[in-house]
Amino acid sequence: MFRRRSAPPLRSGARPPGFAEDLGAFGGVHDLAEEGSRSTRPQGRGQGGGWRGARFSRDTDRSFPERPFASTGPQGHRGRLREKLLERGPDALADYELLEMLLFFAFKKGDTKPLAKSLINRYGSFAAVLAAPQADLMATRGLGEHSVSALKLVQAAALRLAKAEVAEMPVLNNWDRLLAYLNAAISREKVEQFRILFLDSKNRLIADEAQAKGTVNHTPVYPREVIRRALDLHATALILVHNHPSGDPTPSRSDIEMTMEIRRAGEIFSVVVHDHLIIGNGRHLSFRREGLL
């Protein structure tokens, strides 16, 4: 008659044979150890029962080869994006990545990627998010004063940089940069905006001023006020600019008539109207090139 021999009792902190290998079948010791380190002590007999997650990870990690991913969670994501920006340049980042990095300044913790993608889905592009009306952004779920301030600050910085590049040399010799600046400034406006570029005798930019805002298809402009402002600034030439929120830069009859009135008023005081530009969504029309001026 044979008696069944019981296994010797385990020492405190020891592991039964095959325990680590069995856990490896569930996706890796490291992941389970991370969960164990966040949970409470396993239930067992007395205070000595069970294994602590931290100790378990330290003891068993030595037997595993180096893993391709240091972590399967979002830890370090912000740092990786910063490294990508600094090492590979901004062109290496997708639009949503630029936006989520911008939102880092408003959200000190947490994942900003879902919000960034949601904003681009709503407005259509990174640039359109920056140019969106402040009231619309403030009413957007997930955004607040800090995040909207960050978006508007970047928009203002981009416009000032583009304006500074235009002002560095005569405007008529810097046409592509001028159009880039005007597209950034007013092409996404939801209502018509009439602007005037005031130039000196060497066609350098003295001032860029918004004279009026109107409805989606009309802006009231008074030629007398335009010329008066030019004289105040000692400007000798003008470039008239306004946008069409519809995106179609084709001039209306009133656009043409208003331009002729300003031109005639300017001739009296030796103020030249170089051009009138209509900015659409990614398109523009020059009165000078179309023979309308």
Side-chain angles (χ1 to χ4, degrees), residues 184-203:
I186 63 174
S187 66
R188 296 177 181 85
E189 289 283 337
K190 302 302 182 184
V191 298
E192 277 200 9
Q193 181 183 125
F194 188 83
R195 305 178 75 94
I196 302 177
L197 306 182
F198 297 94
L199 311 178
D200 65 14
S201 59
K202 295 183 179 180
N203 292 321

Side-chain angles (χ1 to χ4, degrees), residues 278-290:
I278 300 180
I279 306 298
N281 188 6
R283 303 164 58 192
H284 73 276
L285 181 140
S286 164
F287 275 47
R288 178 73 63 184
R289 291 184 180 179
E290 296 296 323

